Amino acid sequence: MNAHLGSPIRTGSELAAELRRRSRVLFAVALVNLVLAVVFTALLQLDGRTILGRNVWTKPWKFATSIAIFTATVGWLLPSLSLADRVEWLATRTIGGAMLVEITLISTQAARGVQSHFNKATALDTGIFAVMGTTITISTLVVAYVLWRTVRDPPDLAPAYLWGIWTGFFLFVLASFEGGLMIANGSHSVGAPADGSGLPLLNWSLTGGDLRIAHFVGLHALQVLPLTGYVAARWDDLSTRQSLGVVGVVAAGYSSLVGGAFVWALLGNPLVTSLPLPSMTGIFGGSFLLVAPFWGLMILAPTWRVTERVVASPLLAVPAALLYLLVIVPQFGSVVSGVLSPSLAGMQSLLATAAGTTLAWVHFLAFDLFVGRWIYRDARRRGLPWLVASPLLVVTLLLGPVGFLGYCVVRVTTAVRTSTATPNPGSD
């Protein structure tokens, strides 16, 4: 069942190394776009210009992120498809080149302070939009050609994984060509102005239909369905027929989601009419729930095997770190200016706001948990009694550095006593 699937990747560094081994070209393109996404994140805070009511760097940020995911996915999948060397060589370089042209043109238009899409204000803008459409079309045709080649001459892959790739590629191609409908419509909006109110970051319309929703969901079938097939194929409890059934059900459901979103947008209906955003009070109050289960395991059940397995992963602090990221984005500029030139008055001003206080609190939660994880694992490795380690973890949870210093004292004292108690072989 697991034949031709390879060994599972266990760390991020292994994932990056394997992607680079599979396709240096698309790995490089993905990496460039990841770097650009970071740059655009900073520009979102530093550049206040807007287009259609949104920051000029919002679209470059979204496209850089999307292109990084797309090129990394294709770079991962292509070597598994047993394509002729010439076909794979042309596919990787055509897609990589097209995506570099695309992000360059979108970034250029943002720097100029003008729209990149649906912009025919000048001959230059019309030409840029035409080239962007051409590069996307070429890239999509390459994916469609790869799909056709693999259907005509299937690679030796687990059936569920192969069908996940086929259905993912197929929905990706359909969603890509939906962009042509947006061009024909002259906008992504149906029954509403393009500069109307929208969801944060994604900007999907809150007042009318938005063709970008089906486009977005369909494009990411390229990740969802192959991953579904891969997981189903590796699942030892499933037979080949059952794993194919899993892929079929997920593919059918996903296709229905794409089709439903498309029809809903054509009817002029928004996905949602309003977005119930949580208040800072709610975020502050609920943030502790992101770390409480891990503290509970380390303090109350330190010897439980489940605790050891959970705490072995450094990812346990990721939920709190992600919340920190979400809270800091809207106030990134003020926070960065405050920490680059810190002053007592500046910190007081920042922390006096609900957002600043919540940000500091989540910061404490994320890093205290990471320190607590180190204390727990080090104490277990040294055989320190839980009656000693658990109280220190409680102090670390409540007072952070005080608990850390207390454990350091216990750690050094324990090490000294151990070395003192150990006889010197050469003293006789």
Side-chain angles (χ1 to χ4, degrees):
M1 192 62 172
N2 295 339
H4 313 294
L5 291 174
S7 301
I9 302 297
R10 300 186 183 280
T11 66
S13 59
E14 287 181 4
L15 180 67
E18 178 63 16
L19 177 58
R20 184 173 181 272
R21 185 190 68 80
R22 288 174 178 241
S23 177
R24 290 178 177 269
V25 171
L26 293 180
F27 172 80
V29 175
L31 186 59
V32 166
N33 279 276
L34 278 178
V35 172
L36 286 174
V38 174
V39 173
F40 297 149
T41 300
L43 289 174
L44 280 167
Q45 305 301 322
L46 301 174
D47 190 344
R49 293 177 298 160
T50 61
I51 300 173
L52 298 178
R54 277 86 178 179
N55 188 284
V56 294
W57 297 105
T58 300
K59 188 176 289 289
W61 181 89
K62 291 194 295 185
F63 269 79
T65 304
S66 179
I67 289 172
I69 295 171
F70 167 58
T71 51
T73 303
V74 175
W76 185 275
L77 293 176
L78 280 182
S80 305
L81 302 180
S82 302
L83 298 168
D85 291 342
R86 179 175 57 87
V87 173
E88 185 175 333
W89 188 91
L90 286 173
T92 56
R93 282 152 180 80
T94 301
I95 291 174
M99 292 301 100
L100 288 176
V101 170
E102 186 79 6
I103 194 61
T104 298
L105 294 178
I106 292 174
S107 305
T108 299
Q109 293 295 74
R112 294 177 60 217
V114 299
Q115 288 180 252
S116 55
H117 290 69
F118 313 111
N119 187 354
K120 300 180 181 179
T122 66
L124 176 62
D125 294 324
T126 301
I128 287 176
F129 185 42
V131 173
M132 287 167 52
T134 301
T135 58
I136 290 296
T137 301
I138 291 172
S139 179
T140 303
L141 289 174
V142 170
V143 175
Y145 177 71
V146 169
L147 173 61
W148 174 74
R149 287 290 296 255
T150 58
V151 171
R152 191 184 69 170
D153 185 16
D156 187 18
L157 294 173
Y161 187 33
L162 181 58
W163 273 95
I165 293 173
W166 281 345
T167 53
F169 272 45
F170 179 71
L171 281 180
F172 173 87
V173 171
L174 286 183
S176 296
F177 282 118
E178 187 211 347
L181 180 60
M182 289 191 242
I183 294 175
N185 186 50
S187 172
H188 54 74
S189 298
V190 178
D195 59 351
S197 59
L199 292 174
L201 196 61
L202 294 171
N203 295 325
W204 294 342
S205 178
L206 295 172
T207 58
D210 198 321
L211 296 169
R212 292 175 298 181
I213 300 173
H215 184 66
F216 174 89
V217 177
L219 290 181
H220 287 291
L222 190 64
Q223 289 81 40
V224 173
L225 296 181
L227 182 59
T228 299
Y230 179 84
V231 172
R234 292 196 72 96
W235 203 324
D236 293 332
D237 293 337
L238 297 179
S239 65
T240 299
R241 183 175 180 178
Q242 289 171 327
S243 62
L244 283 170
V246 169
V247 173
V249 169
V250 174
Y254 202 89
S255 300
S256 300
L257 182 62
V258 175
F262 178 65
V263 172
W264 192 251
L266 286 179
L267 294 175
N269 298 316
L271 180 65
V272 293
T273 55
S274 62
L275 186 64
L277 293 174
S279 64
M280 281 298 163
T281 301
I283 294 175
F284 183 93
S287 58
F288 184 66
L289 298 177
L290 298 177
V291 301
F294 306 116
W295 282 110
L297 287 172
M298 291 189 295
I299 294 170
L300 302 176
T303 60
W304 192 21
R305 290 182 61 186
V306 172
T307 302
E308 293 178 345
R309 290 182 179 180
V310 170
V311 180
S313 172
L315 299 180
L316 79 172
V318 166
L322 288 176
L323 179 60
Y324 180 86
L325 180 63
L326 292 175
V327 175
I328 199 176
V329 166
Q331 50 183 338
F332 184 81
S334 59
V335 173
V336 170
S337 62
V339 297
L340 288 179
S341 55
S343 67
L344 180 59
M347 288 294 102
Q348 285 178 321
S349 175
L350 177 62
L351 294 176
T353 65
T357 303
T358 302
L359 192 65
W361 175 244
V362 177
H363 189 140
F364 297 154
L365 292 178
F367 276 88
D368 285 355
L369 178 60
F370 206 78
V371 172
R373 171 184 177 269
W374 175 79
I375 291 175
Y376 168 84
R377 298 192 74 205
D378 190 70
R380 293 289 294 163
R381 190 163 45 243
R382 292 170 173 272
L384 196 68
W386 70 269
L387 286 174
V388 175
S390 288
L392 288 170
L393 286 170
V394 172
V395 177
T396 304
L397 169 62
L398 299 177
L399 300 175
V402 177
F404 172 71
L405 289 174
Y407 179 73
C408 287
V409 171
V410 172
R411 189 174 187 265
V412 172
T413 303
T414 304
V416 169
R417 287 179 178 176
T418 302
S419 62
T420 303
T422 302
N424 186 350
S427 61
D428 295 330

